[in-house]
Amino acid sequence: MASADSSSTAGSVPAELSSACEDVTLASAADAVGGRQARYVAAPASTAEAAALLRAASGLGLTVVPRGSGSRLDWGARPTGCDLIVDTRRMDQVVEHAAGDLVVTVQAGTGLHDLAKVLAAAGQRLALDSPANAGSTGGTVGGLIATGAAGPLRYRYGAPRDLLIGITVVRADGTVARSGGKVVKNVAGYDIGKLFAGSLGTLGLITDATFRLHPRPEAAAWVTLDCPDSASAAAAVRTVADSPLTPSAIELDWPSAAQPISVSALLEGDTDSVSGRADRLGELLERATAGQSSAQTKRADDRPGPRAPADAHEESKPGASPSGPVDADGRGPSGTLVRVAFWAGQLTAVLTAIRAAADAVALDPGICGSAAAGVLDVSVPASAAAVAVADFVAVLRAGLEGLADGLPPSRASAVVLCAPPAVRDAVDMWGPVPSLALMRAVKDQFDPGHRMAPGRFAGGI
Amino acid sequence: MYDTSAIDDRLAVRLARICGADAVITDPQQLRTYECDGLTAHRCSPGLVVLPQSAEQVAAVVRECAARRIPFVARGSGTGLSGGALPRADGVLIVTSKMRRIIAIDPASRRALVEPGVTNLAVSKAAEPYGLFYAPDPSSQVVCSVGGNVAENSGGAHCLKHGFTVHHVTGLQIVTPQGELTWLGDGTGAAPGYDLVGAFTGSEGTLGIVTKIIVKLTPIPEAVTTLLAAFTTMGAGGAAVSAIIGSGILPGAIEMMDALAIEAAEAAVNCRYPEGAGAVLIVELDGPAADVEAQTATVRAICTAEGAYEIRAARDAAERAAIWTGRKSAFAAVGRISPAYIVQDGVVPRTALPRVLDRISELSAERGIRVANVFHAGDGNLHPLVLFDDTVPGEQEAAEKLSGMILDLCIEHGGSITGEHGVGVDKSRYMPRMFGADDLDTMQLLRCAFDPGSLCNPGKVFPTPRLCGEVPGVRRAPHPLVASGLIDQF
């Protein structure tokens, strides 16, 4: 059903919830997930309080959706139930920053900007991009993990799952569990953090996390090249990726079909090293594209030095936001955002498939993302007709299917991360997912009552 | 718990029909060659060994086992150091060493698709013509298999900078414990849905058998410099490690050996490390040539400031190999100075290294048991070698006790009981010291999702298996498998 639950039944907060958690209120109209109205909002201040709360919610049979800053709460399908929102923002403490070990343990509701400030004071950073549209907090740690989202730094440092070394979660029944630890090298037991990364709250509530950190680079520079077509853009991306110059990011930005495609590489390190590598990369690119385009190389030193901690954690590059188009108030995405993942060597074919699908329904979406890591975000403006967006996604998926070549059976996917209500109703947000039966089995084990963000995930999980 | 009479001639005939007669081993003499992996302290002759040549054959073999409720264990090259591939007398050992095709190298996507029996080093060799390599490099990389690397989430000396197996695997074809062939991930590293590739990697063969692997390939660094610095004390070497990391340099590897480990390496391979060293540090720097040059100068300066009395630099492959010989042979070399030894794999936060090493040497002195230290200093992964004479009654027990105390010491300092060798059978009894009952119970939910019948490498990793299918707190009736007499409640 498209319509949201009525909140008329919510006369008062059940005593079981209030006695489990100090801060429980009736939900306001703004407390909704993907259009599904919540009844209660609770903000536990600790793992123990969160556990008591989820035990109480379990006793009442309530459906539960965790929420951080809310910047990506629209990601995923509309939940089939959302009785209780668990707001993590009172769990906002940096528990332990072991600077000498390059490790930090932090509560899930901590803002990424606050965390970045603490880390920058020691010349360190969590090498993951925060969403550009998350307002003053930069989004929360828990939200970063639960969405599994990564920006340009993905190319060098990976996604949250790659830097997460320990996690504490509360299961649907209130059981508190921990996996990993606070050392980078550790293979004791299963890695529950991997399962929770990108799970959109469907397996339980994340209450704290431990990350591996990296030294904050002294300098950074973007080397940018404008390419006339997708083939030359793909050649430029490949040239950078194959080079020994250890770029931190390789981004592609193609705002509309009529515009050139810009390919940018981020180089980070000591000042001398960055400047030397930027020169070399510029030469490599010019040589690689000479004759086939009028490409120019220009350098942009758009990153502050090490003494500007507030910016340390922003998107590595403005405009290359993995969160797509944002509302005027900057609170959340308003258009449709499609995440396309593919084998990097098929970049040209993927760009062609995206443009062909868009042409078929007369759309002209923006395309940007970590081209060399095989992840692109396609942004369709909110003004596009829902039927056209749904057709675009269907044609695109059919095009991507054609990229398969023997094994594995599929080499690309297109997931609708978020979309306006009308588009949600018209489109299958997740599309085909490999090994869905095993994913369902995992969900059944962790959340047998299907009360954690039900229906939000792949295959209706 | 399992029907031991199920391994009979009929099963052998069925498996021979699937994999070919020469791929099934039932002769007790031959079975014994598979009785242990790299950890020889645990031995058990398998009920039967089968060597499939394809993923479809593995699936068919597993289906046979599942239908008869016969437990099965997968084995690659058998180099594991925690008994993860220890066979069962009542089970089938499925050896993947005949599945060793490198199916494809895709240089444009920087991916390789390989079978599980392919050796780790073979992947890098196949990628080399394209200027690429496979980054995880366990010391056993000449023989260890990629399938085994996936099971153990193998590291290696260079994982400090380049990451573990889990950071380089983007897709897995597996045979589920029910015998179904399926893909986890699609090779992109960003497949939709739960990260089952990440969850499966490092599950020590308990969630299924991997039959194809897609790995990431990395551009070969432009320059590599290997430095060897000799210090008179471990304390000075440790201070140099902290100063290097503190300077913001992330070396490819930082390894350290103490005097006893050096003595063993000299005796075994004549590696000619500087005389009189109380500690040697091996620091390897890789990256763009100018960076490596600058960092080399910094590391030299730091080592000198911390009291290094000799520093050698390798500039080519041969010189580098000479420096690494001593380190890479250290485990085996200890055999030259002691009849027997236990290798531990504990991890501590790097900053706790000096305190932990001091305490280990105190424990060693108190008990009169020699401990040689070889470790990945950059990430605090210790490999203390506890030396003993297995012909002297009581020595092994004393060595095991000390070894356990070292693990306790690691846990006390916020570390881990295993950094890269895995839990296997060897360390499952230590898991409750590191994790609570709810932690272990929660991990096993994953096990239950993949292997509810508990047939896939049972008895590994977890000290107490969880009975799948029961809903915690809502115990209504006996588990159906208990009721039917198929398994015991425990």
Side-chain angles (χ1 to χ4, degrees), chain A residues 329-341:
Chain A
D329 67 358
R331 245 201 116 248
S334 58
T336 300
L337 185 65
V338 184
R339 158 96 15 113
V340 180

Side-chain angles (χ1 to χ4, degrees), chain A residues 104-120:
Chain A
V104 71
T105 299
V106 62
Q107 286 186 308
T110 309
L112 290 170
H113 286 167
D114 288 342
L115 175 60
K117 271 178 217 160
V118 171
L119 303 178

Side-chain angles (χ1 to χ4, degrees), chain A residues 100-101 161-162 171 177-178 185-187 190 202-203 212 241 273 280 343 345 372 409-410 413 435 445 457 461, chain B residues 109-110 160 166-167 183 186 194-195 206 219 222 291 347 349-351 376 381 416 418 420 434 439 442-443:
Chain A
D101 298 319
R161 57 92 88 176
D162 293 300
R171 275 156 51 186
R178 200 168 54 81
K185 203 169 177 185
N186 177 12
V187 294
Y190 294 158
T202 55
L203 295 178
R212 172 184 192 171
S273 157
R280 287 182 61 190
W343 285 41
S410 159
S413 63
S435 53
Q445 287 291 332
F457 206 57
I461 287 173
Chain B
S109 296
R110 294 174 303 281
L160 173 65
V166 74
H167 297 118
W183 277 87
D186 56 10
Y194 296 133
D195 180 10
T206 61
E222 184 177 38
D291 290 22
V347 188
R350 184 176 43 241
T351 49
H376 308 297
N381 187 192
S416 170
T418 174
E420 57 186 357
M434 194 171 160
D439 305 335
T442 301
M443 289 179 192

Side-chain angles (χ1 to χ4, degrees), chain B residues 48-61:
Chain B
L48 182 150
V49 170
V50 59
L51 296 105
Q53 295 105 63
S54 71
E56 289 71 22
Q57 288 181 1
V58 174
V61 168

Side-chain angles (χ1 to χ4, degrees), chain B residues 65-142:
Chain B
C65 292
R68 295 153 192 253
R69 282 207 49 75
I70 299 170
F72 51 89
V73 176
R75 172 186 162 120
S77 300
T79 56
L81 292 170
S82 57
L86 181 73
R88 299 176 62 102
D90 60 359
V92 169
L93 186 71
I94 302 173
V95 180
T96 60
S97 59
K98 283 194 180 173
M99 297 167 64
R100 51 196 323 153
R101 279 187 308 149
I102 293 175
I103 299 166
I105 301 277
D106 180 344
S109 296
R110 294 174 303 281
R111 294 288 188 271
L113 173 63
V114 306
E115 288 189 329
V118 170
T119 63
N120 175 290
L121 190 61
V123 181
S124 281
K125 283 200 172 148
E128 196 180 357
Y130 306 101
L132 301 167
F133 77 116
Y134 177 53
D137 65 337
S139 297
S140 54
Q141 69 177 150
V142 180

Side-chain angles (χ1 to χ4, degrees), chain A residues 127 129 148-159 248 339 370 373 375, chain B residues 189-190:
Chain A
D129 298 296
L153 291 177
R154 168 197 289 272
Y155 180 70
R156 171 103 170 246
Y157 297 98
S248 296
R339 158 96 15 113
S370 303
V375 180

